[in-house]
């Protein structure tokens, strides 16, 4: 247990230097524990949260961050320990009780009614909303609240017409307008463009400087180092360390988070000179309309060459997923042509793309890459079960399938006691690593990797990026879809930027500029214009 202690307790109890001596914490967690069948989600967690402070919770997926905040907001009840608010022990029977006490949470997946306006969403469930208020009155009150907290909104706009950043502002305003003094945000920048991230940072700093407290749940080190005043690291549900941000460094936090140091690379240079750069994937005036009839991709043309990593940047929901599905054969374009190594692929499905040497790591692995109810072996061989040695000539060779699975698990660095274990029994990170290893074996020409870092801890992300660089160095192509500009700029030879389904530009490595790319992701020019 000593590995979790360090000097953390001294730091956890330290008030911000900007507060007068004797200022008590707004909220204290004292010895909090939460158990589920066979799982210790949290154990002996003690943390103080002060007014006028942004306090980050850092940890891998499964480290207990969200569970701990669900205890704080009343979604779960602690099995051990106590919540102390303003010096008094409290128990919340649900989120409404927590918000009445001044604690509000903005979840990673927004909880807004998409067909309602901004003003209507702000009024929903608010005890101060009178029964017979006109739309104009709701809008007027929403605008007044927005002005009070310095958040720019459009009261009359339907939620489904807003960008992710605008929706997040509505969520934050909904919590603050109900009197929250402690604001909890779960992975708040996951679906924001760099410009929207900057706007969020400014709003959180204003709230902090006005005496509010912020708890920021994140696994992004750059985000924490830029925004937080204090950081507490959770590992295996326990406190591994707690620090003032200006007194620590990313290497220390990584070691506490995963138990070992990990090199944080900002570039992945080639191991050998690039060979022939033949075009392996080409799109010509390709567009796409979804099942609801909405045009998700406007006509675009691009080519991807052997031995390169071709990055696709964009805020989530701007056509990247549709483009990746088209490149892998899962979706048929509305118009235009798709070529693989010069061969027209119109009307061909994912099986034909696989045979042509295109591997695919999709954004939604559970629904597009895996069969969760089937065993690990079935999932490992599902893309090769008709080929030698696993299958062929109307036969399936179980022993060969098991050998193939063991080899794949070794490559993916995934440990499974029994390969017949249902796939849903593996962690999200292990599922992702297995899919990446499987699709890498298929990708003789190109690998389409859509948000491959999702669900991975820092150590696994490092291994994943090394694998993509190795595929590039072997002369194959990689299409990397990501909203993480640092990841794209570290790995890519070229980056295409999508916004609202339109191809904004394609930039060579020599022209990479974070501010310019971020502005284009938001549909603005480099000077901030629309």
């Amino acid at each position: 247990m000593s590995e979790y202690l360090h000097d953390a307790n001294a730091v956890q109890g330290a008030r911000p230097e900007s507060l007068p001596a004797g200022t008590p914490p707004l909220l204290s967690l004292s010895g909090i524990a939460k158990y589920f069948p066979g799982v210790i989600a949290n154990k002996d967690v003690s943390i103080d949260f002060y007014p006028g402070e942004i306090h980050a919770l850092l940890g891998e997926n499964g480290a207990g961050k969200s569970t701990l905040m669900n205890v704080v907001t009343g979604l779960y009840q602690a099995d051990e320990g106590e919540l102390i608010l303003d010096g008094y022990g409290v128990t919340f029977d649900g989120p409404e009780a927590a918000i009445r006490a001044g604690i509000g949470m903005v979840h990673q997946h927004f909880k807004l009614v998409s067909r309602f306006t901004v003003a209507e969403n702000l009024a929903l469930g608010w005890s101060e909303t009178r029964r017979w208020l006109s739309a104009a009155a709701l809008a007027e009150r929403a605008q007044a609240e927005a002005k009070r907290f310095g958040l720019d909104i459009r009261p009359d706009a339907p939620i489904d017409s807003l960008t992710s950043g605008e929706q997040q502002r509505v969520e934050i305003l909904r919590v603050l307008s109900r009197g929250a003094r402690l604001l909890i945000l779960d992975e708040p920048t996951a679906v924001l463009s760099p410009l929207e991230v900057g706007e969020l940072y400014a709003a959180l700093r204003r709230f902090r400087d006005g005496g509010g407290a912020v708890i920021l749940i994140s696994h992004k080190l750059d985000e924490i180092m830029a925004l937080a005043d204090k950081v507490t690291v959770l590992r295996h549900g326990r406190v591994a360390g707690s620090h003032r941000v200006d007194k620590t460094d990313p290497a220390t936090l990584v070691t506490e988070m995963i138990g070992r140091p990990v090199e944080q690379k900002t570039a992945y240079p080639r191991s050998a000179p690039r060979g022939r750069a033949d075009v392996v994937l080409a799109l010509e005036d390709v567009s796409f309309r979804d099942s609801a009839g909405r045009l998700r991709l406007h006509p675009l043309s691009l080519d991807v060459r052997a031995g390169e990593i071709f990055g696709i940047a964009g805020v989530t929901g701007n056509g990247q997923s549709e483009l990746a599905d088209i490149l892998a054969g899962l979706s048929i374009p509305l118009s235009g042509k798709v070529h693989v190594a010069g061969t027209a692929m119109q009307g061909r499905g994912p099986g034909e793309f696989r045979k042509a040497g295109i591997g695919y790591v999709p954004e939604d692995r559970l629904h597009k890459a895996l069969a969760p109810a089937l065993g690990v072996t079935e999932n490992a061989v599902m893309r090769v079960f008709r080929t030698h040695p696993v299958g062929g000539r109307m036969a399936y060779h179980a022993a060969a399938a098991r050998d193939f699975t063991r080899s794949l698990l070794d490559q993916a660095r995934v440990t499974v006691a029994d390969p017949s274990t249902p796939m849903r029994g593996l962690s999200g990170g292990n599922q992702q690593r297995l899919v990446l290893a499987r699709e890498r074996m298929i990708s003789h020409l190109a690998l389409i990797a859509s948000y491959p870092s999702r669900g991975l801890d820092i150590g696994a992300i490092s291994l994943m990026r090394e694998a993509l660089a190795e595929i590039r160095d072997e002369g194959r192509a990689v299409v990397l879809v990501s909203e993480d500009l640092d990841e794209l700029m570290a790995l890519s030879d070229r980056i295409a930027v999508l916004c609202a389904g339109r191809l904004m530009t394609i930039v060579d490595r020599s022209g990479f500029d974070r501010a310019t790319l971020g502005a284009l992701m938001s549909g603005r020019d480099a000077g901030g214009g629309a």
Side-chain angles (χ1 to χ4, degrees), residues 227-527:
L227 182 61
D229 303 298
K230 191 183 294 181
V231 55
T232 294
V233 182
L234 293 183
R235 178 153 55 98
H236 305 316
R238 296 174 170 86
V239 173
S242 195
H243 313 269
R244 296 190 189 281
V245 168
D246 59 1
K247 298 290 194 329
T248 190
D249 57 79
T252 298
L253 298 177
V254 169
T255 301
E256 289 181 346
M257 183 164 56
I258 67 175
R260 58 183 173 83
V262 175
E263 181 184 1
Q264 301 292 294
K265 288 188 176 181
T266 58
Y268 292 79
R270 296 179 184 278
S271 60
R274 184 175 178 181
R276 290 184 58 186
D278 297 331
V279 174
V280 295
L281 283 168
L283 301 183
E284 182 182 341
D285 292 326
V286 165
S287 65
F288 181 78
R289 196 179 296 276
D290 65 19
S291 58
R294 293 172 294 191
L295 191 62
R296 304 297 297 183
L297 281 178
H298 295 263
L300 60 84
S301 299
L302 56 83
D303 58 62
V304 181
R305 298 180 178 272
E308 79 166 337
I309 297 179
F310 187 91
I312 299 177
V315 180
T316 298
N318 278 262
Q320 308 94 298
S321 297
E322 291 80 2
L323 178 57
D325 281 354
I326 288 172
L327 290 169
L330 267 71
S331 293
I332 298 174
L334 173 68
S335 64
K337 299 177 181 179
V338 180
H339 290 85
V340 175
T343 301
M345 302 297 286
Q346 278 80 352
R348 304 193 186 188
E352 293 299 314
F353 277 72
R354 179 194 62 78
K355 290 177 183 178
I358 307 299
Y360 187 27
V361 179
E363 173 186 0
D364 186 351
R365 59 179 171 265
L366 282 179
H367 293 95
K368 290 184 178 179
L370 299 170
L374 296 182
V376 171
T377 297
E378 288 82 1
N379 278 275
V381 305
M382 65 168 48
R383 295 268 272 167
V384 296
F385 74 95
R386 290 179 177 170
T387 61
H388 180 78
V390 175
R393 295 189 177 182
M394 307 298 290
Y396 173 76
H397 305 291
R402 288 193 294 272
D403 290 342
F404 179 89
T405 300
R406 292 190 189 98
S407 174
L408 202 63
L409 290 169
D410 288 343
Q411 292 178 46
R413 303 191 185 187
V414 173
T415 301
V416 178
D418 182 0
S420 66
T421 301
M423 197 69 194
R424 64 187 171 209
L426 273 63
S427 70
N430 282 339
Q431 292 172 359
Q432 185 78 325
R433 287 199 292 272
L434 187 63
V435 170
L436 177 59
R438 184 188 73 193
E439 299 303 308
R440 181 178 180 177
M441 296 184 71
I442 292 168
S443 57
H444 308 302
L445 282 179
L447 175 71
I448 316 301
S450 186
Y451 305 100
S453 296
R454 284 185 178 172
L456 302 185
D457 60 49
I458 287 176
I461 288 173
S462 177
L463 293 174
M464 181 274 297
R465 292 178 180 175
E466 294 283 0
L468 296 183
E470 289 171 5
I471 294 171
R472 172 204 64 193
D473 291 348
E474 292 164 0
R476 294 179 274 174
V478 176
V479 177
L480 174 61
V481 181
S482 179
E483 66 237 322
D484 186 340
L485 274 182
D486 291 329
E487 178 169 87
L488 288 168
M489 294 173 68
L491 285 162
S492 302
D493 297 284
R494 293 186 291 157
I495 296 177
V497 182
L498 289 183
C499 180
R502 289 182 170 86
L503 179 61
M504 305 293 285
T505 190
I506 298 177
V507 184
D508 290 325
R509 170 169 282 278
S510 60
F512 288 179
D513 176 77
R514 184 181 179 86
T516 301
L517 291 170
L520 290 167
M521 287 168 65
S522 302
R524 312 178 200 179
D525 60 35

Side-chain angles (χ1 to χ4, degrees), residues 10-19 23-28 47-57 181-185 203-216 224 227-232 242-246:
V11 180
Q12 288 164 25
R15 62 176 173 80
E17 295 174 352
S18 60
L19 291 180
T23 301
L26 175 59
L27 175 70
S28 292
I47 312 173
D48 292 334
F49 300 104
Y50 283 87
E53 175 181 83
I54 298 175
H55 194 137
L57 288 183
R181 298 174 293 146
L182 173 60
L183 178 64
I184 304 169
L185 296 106
L204 295 181
R205 289 181 179 123
R206 285 195 300 271
F207 180 65
R208 174 200 62 190
D209 294 345
V214 177
I215 300 176
L216 177 71
I224 287 171
L227 182 61
D229 303 298
K230 191 183 294 181
V231 55
T232 294
S242 195
H243 313 269
R244 296 190 189 281
V245 168
D246 59 1

Side-chain angles (χ1 to χ4, degrees), residues 129-190:
T129 300
R130 297 195 302 274
R131 181 170 296 183
W132 307 113
L133 274 182
S134 67
L138 289 176
E140 183 180 353
R141 186 175 69 171
Q143 195 62 62
E145 291 295 312
K147 183 178 180 181
R148 180 159 72 103
F149 292 105
L151 293 169
D152 184 25
I153 63 165
R154 294 182 283 145
D156 297 326
I159 292 296
D160 58 9
S161 71
L162 304 182
T163 67
S164 296
E166 289 171 327
Q167 290 185 36
Q168 187 179 70
R169 285 200 292 272
V170 176
E171 284 274 27
I172 293 172
L173 185 57
R174 186 164 69 169
V175 171
L176 296 183
S177 62
R178 285 157 170 76
R181 298 174 293 146
L182 173 60
L183 178 64
I184 304 169
L185 296 106
D186 188 0
E187 301 289 356
T189 62

